[in-house]
Amino acid sequence: MVSSSAGVASMSAREAEVLAALAEHLTNREIARLMHISVRTVESHVSSLLRKFGAADRRSLAAIASRLAGPGAELQPFRQFPIAWTSFVGRAAELDAVTAAVVTNRLVTLLGPGGIGKTRLATVSAERVASAFIGGSVFVDLVAVTECGVEYAVGAAVGAVDRPHTPRATVIHEQLNRGPSLVVLDNCEHVLESAAAWVEAALAACPDLAVLATSRERLGVAGERVVVVPPMDVDAAVLFVERTSTSGVVLDCDRTAVTEICRRLDGNPLAIELAASRLPSLGVDGLRAGLDDHLRLLGRSVSPSGYAGRHRSLRAVIGWSYGLLDHEERTLFRRVGVFAGGFDLAAATAVATDGDAAMATDVIARLADKSLLDRGVDDRGSRWRMLDTVRAYAREQLVKSQECAAIEQAHLRWAASAASALEIELGEDGAWFDRFDAIADDLRSALVRPAAAPLTSEWFALGLTLGHLAYGRGLLLEARGHYLRAAKFAPGPGSAFLAWRGAASVARADQRLSLEIEFLHRAAAAAEECGDRAATARALADIAREVGRFPSGLDEAPNRDATLLLIERARTLDPGDDPALRVAITLAAAWNGRPKPTEPDPVLAAPALDWARELDDPELLSEALDAVSAAASFAGRRKEAARVTLERLALIDRMPRHAPRVGLEVFDAHHAATETAVAAGDLTAAVTAGRRALADGLNTAVPYLAASRIALPLVLLGDFDEALAQAQLMRDSWVRAGSPTAGWMANAVFAAAMVHGLRGDVAEFDEWWETASKLSTRSSTNEMRAFVAQRVALHYGHFEDATLKPGRPEPDGSLAGYARCLAVEVAVVTGAVDADVQLHAADPLASENAYAAGFLRRASGRLHRDFTDLEAAVSTWETIGAVSNKPARSHTATHAPRGRRARAGEPGLSRAGPDRPSCP
């Protein structure tokens, strides 16, 4: 089948109208009447559309029409095409050829030397066919990109957001798979291998993707269609005249002289524009004389034809233009060649004119008039940039000069200052994103150059700041890389400590806790080397706290004895004058104060919370509240734990989301809010907290975390359809992230398995159960495994493996009340001799969990045949919203007393068949 984009691009306006009518399933006669044309004409258009779209029949064509008219057609994302500052002249034949190639081939490469007009031709062609690519069209400039940065550049252009444990390529492919998409890769020649590798992988992963590349060499990818961009012919003179007329110059020669100038410039558009810019000062005769000198000089080493010869001719034209500049213009021209991207007047002043703004203003204007600089405007004013070939020449001249080192140092100082100024503007609204994007390439290029000895402090400061900025921009992997590079080349151990702490914070936010602990150990070593006892103690305390608090997120089970030694060492190093350090050490001791994983010592958690309140540090306060809440939960005080966690949730708005250190704290606050609410039986509050987690910007980076929070309470409430949708999102995003260690997901996965079990989907139940079982090996609790086993057994009346047999561990953790109370009901149904004893022993659980209390009331009703208790159970679930009145969930009780029917939607009263799911 021909691609939809090809079909759309090649159809006429009348055919488009016919296609739209087909989407409405109109007959040929109805279409003819609607458009006031003959039926035969309609038939002709339909036949043409079938051929252009490669559709098998009219029904297939109608489906294509519906898809093109659907919601996806309205998205049209990306569209980041460069602004054209001048008109597009000529190239009609080339434009038609490129357009035709793009709509019939998945990879088209425009081949030609620098300055031949590949970028402009690609941009105009892409704009021309953009409507055919309903998934979006995007322009990716690779000029400032290194071999390892192609994927990042594409990701930034399509708005791909890094996710932990997920290859960036996967995220980019997801963006490009939303519909037929077009990516324009501009200037591939200096990153040829990386560009070719990315294109090959993307085309394989995205069947509706088309790529239009510009390069001085072929990409060498299978299926590549090469379109050689030739020099301008008759249109060259038109271009020369048009460019001179825009500057108000009246040509004092005939057309023949202009044609001769353009011929001697090889019809190269950039060369022609440069020559036209010199016309006001040199005139036609001056231009011809200058060309004579330079062409004669280059003719000795230039082949008469071919790519290399044209490239050298272009370089000669730029060199000739450079030779015509005066001393000030030459100096500024080569100095601004140090910029990797665009620059504003302040940047040029700081880097190229030793702070002389008047000189910078004057000379930049003169260079722009000569077409050596392109001027653009953003919300902060004017910015200038060089074309890539011009920049390369300017950079070459800078390297040849005696001032290269000094200019690179000035560029580094400017970059460090600009990054520092931007860091002050960081906020939650993203208002600083555009400014960061505008200078990011220069910040990166300044950082990757070897640090000049006198400027190590500026270079190091830039690394730290750029790490922070990249994190705030959502570039977690890049941020960690900047911190690690800064740590590697830190001027001293004190600086290394800051860099390692930054890297650890990003790893923590990225849910890579084992990596975080590794970096914290390095930070502790650096702090110890420079004699900072407090910093060493804080790093050790943080390691111990993470190990005790989040063991299920570590790649390997922690060694408790080793952790206790870390805490003792931190206490020994504590100078005693830092209240925050005291809280950190106390929390570390609290989280490791009991043998059971994740169970904090309440005796230590309470004073830590008091001290944290005095400090009013939202991050420390959140950590202390978590310890107190967890201690209450382990003591069986579920409602108190939920109340404390709500206070913690309220702290989220005080935490700056651009700060790496708070990322995990925000994630965990959402996690705890849903789990403690579920543990207390307040499922409505749990769903509310879960929806807040889904909406939080930070959680978009770890979708399986937020989805796992809301899936569990939705299952318990009986909203099976949404619960499974969230569970599927959870599992899919977790797999895309590389299936990282995530024991905390086990309960939600077991809950999803329960839904499939109740619906009779045996294969799905087995698959989800197996996944949950694997996750639970790193989980500190096992309560949902027991609950689900008993719940499904109760549903079908098969209790052989559902009861808590001797030797089987009792369910433990904050959600244990669900499994233990349901076990009582199973005991009643199976006629256990000690059912009454179990019922009495479970009474304390009911006071802390209204949902679980419903199971006990129903068990009591069944045991004593007390219909009042049965009605009370239903009322309990109705009060907390855990009853669905949908007809599909109505069922009949088979375990209720004889002569009584179950209320519709009562949890677990039926033995409904596979097509009659019960709730919840």
Side-chain angles (χ1 to χ4, degrees):
M1 179 178 287
V2 178
S3 68
S4 298
S5 56
V8 173
S10 59
M11 68 180 175
S12 66
R14 177 63 78 181
E15 287 172 342
E17 293 177 357
V18 173
L19 186 65
L22 290 175
E24 301 296 326
H25 302 287
L26 300 180
T27 65
N28 286 353
R29 187 171 300 280
E30 289 170 333
I31 295 173
R33 188 182 307 114
L34 178 68
M35 297 183 179
H36 305 290
I37 57 178
S38 69
V39 174
R40 184 179 296 276
T41 300
V42 174
E43 292 172 347
S44 175
H45 287 317
V46 171
S47 297
S48 176
L49 289 168
L50 288 169
R51 183 179 66 257
K52 289 181 178 180
F53 283 95
D57 50 33
R58 184 187 182 93
R59 177 180 298 179
S60 299
L61 194 61
I64 293 172
S66 299
R67 177 164 59 87
L68 293 177
E74 301 175 3
L75 292 177
Q76 291 289 340
F78 317 141
R79 301 287 296 169
Q80 302 167 13
F81 284 74
I83 298 174
W85 304 107
T86 56
S87 59
F88 183 73
V89 177
R91 298 284 201 191
E94 292 93 329
L95 186 59
D96 288 340
V98 174
T99 300
V102 170
V103 298
T104 55
N105 297 270
R106 298 192 63 205
L107 171 60
V108 178
T109 301
L110 303 190
L111 199 65
I116 203 67
K118 303 185 296 296
T119 298
R120 192 66 183 277
L121 181 58
T123 303
V124 175
S125 300
E127 292 279 11
R128 193 179 192 185
V129 300
S131 62
F133 295 91
I134 61 174
S137 304
V138 66
F139 182 94
V140 184
D141 187 357
L142 300 180
V143 168
V145 173
T146 61
E147 277 286 346
C148 61
V150 172
E151 189 172 77
Y152 165 76
V154 177
V158 301
V161 179
D162 284 342
R163 295 199 301 263
H165 313 295
T166 304
R168 180 177 287 132
T170 300
V171 183
I172 294 172
H173 294 161
E174 291 173 0
Q175 292 288 86
L176 296 175
N177 268 324
R178 294 183 293 182
S181 303
L182 173 65
V183 173
V184 180
L185 286 182
D186 193 40
N187 295 288
C188 296
E189 54 274 357
H190 66 298
V191 288
L192 201 63
E193 290 186 6
S194 296
W198 182 87
V199 168
E200 190 169 26
L203 292 178
C206 309
D208 284 330
L209 171 67
V211 176
L212 175 59
T214 73
S215 179
R216 299 176 193 178
E217 296 180 48
R218 298 170 183 261
L219 296 186
V221 175
E224 180 182 24
R225 167 70 184 281
V226 174
V227 176
V228 177
V229 181
M232 298 187 77
D233 191 5
V234 294
D235 289 328
V238 179
L239 175 64
F240 185 91
V241 172
E242 198 279 341
R243 294 297 185 258
T244 56
S245 65
T246 58
S247 60
V249 175
V250 178
L251 286 173
D252 56 352
C253 64
D254 58 21
R255 184 65 175 260
T256 303
V258 173
T259 301
E260 175 64 13
I261 290 173
C262 294
R263 184 190 66 79
R264 297 173 74 181
L265 291 172
D266 291 333
N268 188 290
L270 176 58
I272 292 168
E273 297 205 18
L274 290 171
S277 71
R278 302 305 292 155
L279 190 66
S281 57
L282 293 177
V284 174
D285 291 340
L287 279 177
R288 296 174 73 174
L291 286 174
D292 282 340
D293 292 339
H294 285 272
L295 291 176
R296 185 166 58 250
L297 175 65
L298 292 175
R300 298 169 186 166
S301 60
V302 176
S303 59
S305 63
Y307 167 80
R310 289 194 299 272
H311 175 57
R312 293 176 185 176
S313 296
L314 173 62
R315 187 175 182 280
V317 171
I318 300 174
W320 165 73
S321 184
Y322 177 72
L324 292 176
L325 300 177
D326 62 28
H327 175 71
E328 284 186 340
E329 292 169 345
R330 287 187 184 183
T331 300
L332 187 67
F333 173 79
R334 66 173 177 263
R335 287 179 177 179
V336 296
V338 76
F339 288 101
F343 57 88
D344 59 14
L345 186 59
T349 300
V351 173
T353 63
D354 296 324
D356 190 337
M359 175 184 290
T361 303
D362 175 39
V363 181
I364 285 175
R366 283 145 58 186
L367 292 175
D369 288 342
K370 295 173 175 60
S371 297
L372 290 172
L373 292 177
D374 279 344
R375 174 179 170 272
V377 179
D378 61 19
D379 59 348
R380 290 178 173 267
S382 296
R383 293 184 64 81
W384 292 266
R385 68 182 299 271
M386 288 178 164
L387 298 177
D388 61 318
T389 50
V390 176
R391 181 189 293 108
Y393 186 89
R395 175 69 183 170
E396 191 176 90
Q397 298 307 307
L398 179 63
V399 171
K400 290 179 180 178
S401 72
Q402 299 297 313
E403 59 182 5
C404 182
I407 295 303
E408 287 185 346
Q409 290 181 24
H411 182 254
L412 173 60
R413 283 192 295 267
W414 165 81
S417 176
S420 179
L422 185 56
E423 190 175 28
I424 298 174
E425 297 184 15
L426 291 184
E428 310 306 324
D429 58 358
W432 57 280
F433 286 179
D434 288 343
R435 188 178 174 200
F436 171 78
D437 294 343
I439 66 173
D441 287 336
D442 271 288
L443 301 184
R444 296 178 184 118
S445 67
L447 191 59
V448 298
R449 285 197 299 264
L455 296 175
T456 52
S457 61
E458 285 89 346
W459 184 87
F460 178 74
L462 175 58
L464 290 184
T465 306
L466 187 51
H468 187 186
L469 293 172
Y471 176 84
R473 191 66 177 90
L475 309 172
L476 275 65
L477 296 180
E478 179 185 338
R480 193 172 76 226
H482 292 317
Y483 281 120
L484 293 179
R485 184 176 179 83
K488 183 177 180 180
F489 297 103
S495 299
F497 169 79
L498 295 176
W500 286 119
R501 286 291 314 202
S505 295
V506 175
R508 185 177 196 250
D510 201 17
Q511 302 282 307
R512 298 174 182 264
L513 300 187
S514 293
L515 203 56
E516 177 206 2
I517 289 174
E518 175 188 337
F519 295 157
L520 285 175
H521 274 296
R522 292 177 179 268
E528 189 169 25
E529 184 180 350
C530 62
D532 190 336
R533 293 169 59 88
T536 306
R538 179 60 187 267
L540 297 176
D542 287 348
I543 293 171
R545 182 203 63 234
E546 297 294 82
V547 168
R549 190 181 177 197
F550 302 119
S552 63
L554 302 177
D555 294 340
E556 297 179 0
N559 184 316
R560 185 167 183 269
D561 291 336
T563 304
L564 294 177
L565 288 176
L566 288 178
I567 298 171
E568 188 58 35
R569 187 162 173 240
R571 284 178 175 144
T572 302
L573 292 169
D574 181 9
D577 58 356
D578 185 348
L581 177 57
R582 178 176 64 168
V583 174
I585 294 175
T586 305
L587 284 174
W591 281 107
N592 293 278
R594 297 290 179 90
K596 191 173 295 184
T598 72
E599 180 181 3
D601 184 342
V603 176
L604 294 172
L609 177 57
D610 292 337
W611 298 331
R613 290 192 192 281
E614 293 176 6
L615 288 172
D616 197 32
D617 179 318
E619 183 188 0
L620 272 179
L621 185 53
S622 176
E623 293 179 6
L625 286 167
D626 190 30
V628 170
S629 174
S633 181
F634 270 95
R637 301 191 302 274
R638 312 300 187 194
K639 293 181 179 178
E640 178 185 340
R643 177 184 56 77
V644 173
T645 301
L646 286 178
E647 181 183 352
R648 185 182 174 206
L649 196 63
L651 291 170
I652 286 181
D653 292 336
R654 294 177 56 193
M655 298 182 192
R657 303 309 173 79
H658 57 77
R661 70 180 187 276
V662 306
L664 181 58
E665 204 58 39
V666 172
F667 295 146
D668 189 65
H670 285 133
H671 163 90
T674 53
E675 184 164 286
T676 56
V678 170
D682 191 349
L683 302 182
T684 301
V687 170
T688 299
R691 296 200 190 284
R692 177 173 175 174
L694 288 171
D696 194 286
L698 275 176
N699 280 310
T700 59
V702 196
Y704 56 89
L705 176 68
S708 72
R709 296 307 91 208
I710 196 171
L712 177 58
L714 286 172
V715 167
L716 295 173
L717 279 172
D719 194 344
F720 286 175
D721 291 338
E722 185 181 358
L724 287 184
Q726 294 296 341
Q728 193 65 48
L729 169 64
M730 169 188 66
R731 188 172 70 172
D732 290 348
S733 59
W734 175 67
V735 171
R736 286 196 302 269
S739 304
T741 304
W744 41 264
M745 264 174 50
N747 285 336
V749 181
F750 274 124
M754 185 183 83
V755 175
H756 289 295
L758 297 180
R759 288 182 167 180
D761 301 328
V762 178
E764 288 289 335
F765 173 83
D766 289 343
E767 182 179 346
W768 283 86
W769 183 270
E770 181 180 0
T771 300
S773 297
K774 291 178 180 178
L775 285 168
S776 67
T777 61
R778 291 308 321 281
S779 177
S780 58
T781 59
N782 64 353
E783 57 266 44
M784 291 310 294
R785 173 196 290 271
F787 174 77
V788 170
Q790 294 170 130
R791 181 64 187 84
V792 175
L794 188 64
H795 186 69
Y796 292 108
H798 301 152
F799 303 104
E800 293 79 6
D801 194 44
T803 55
L804 297 175
K805 298 177 180 178
R808 177 173 296 180
E810 289 241 341
D812 194 7
S814 63
L815 307 184
Y818 289 88
R820 292 180 178 174
C821 290
L822 186 57
V824 174
E825 187 167 18
V826 171
V828 171
V829 172
T830 57
V833 295
D834 64 341
D836 196 30
V837 175
Q838 291 188 40
L839 180 62
H840 179 72
D843 276 346
L845 298 173
S847 63
E848 293 291 336
N849 186 328
Y851 190 101
F855 286 120
L856 293 183
R857 296 301 296 270
R858 190 171 63 187
S860 176
R862 283 175 161 172
L863 180 64
H864 303 115
R865 295 189 175 274
D866 186 337
F867 296 113
T868 302
D869 276 342
L870 290 174
E871 294 292 342
V874 173
S875 297
T876 297
W877 286 314
E878 285 178 339
T879 300
I880 60 178
V883 173
S884 171
N885 290 318
K886 296 178 181 178
R889 290 184 180 158
S890 297
H891 49 71
T892 302
T894 60
H895 294 302
R898 184 174 300 175
R900 257 316 250 209
R901 306 261 292 166
R903 290 277 301 271
E906 289 180 27
L909 264 176
S910 77
R911 292 178 58 189
D915 60 337
R916 304 286 287 176
S918 61
C919 166

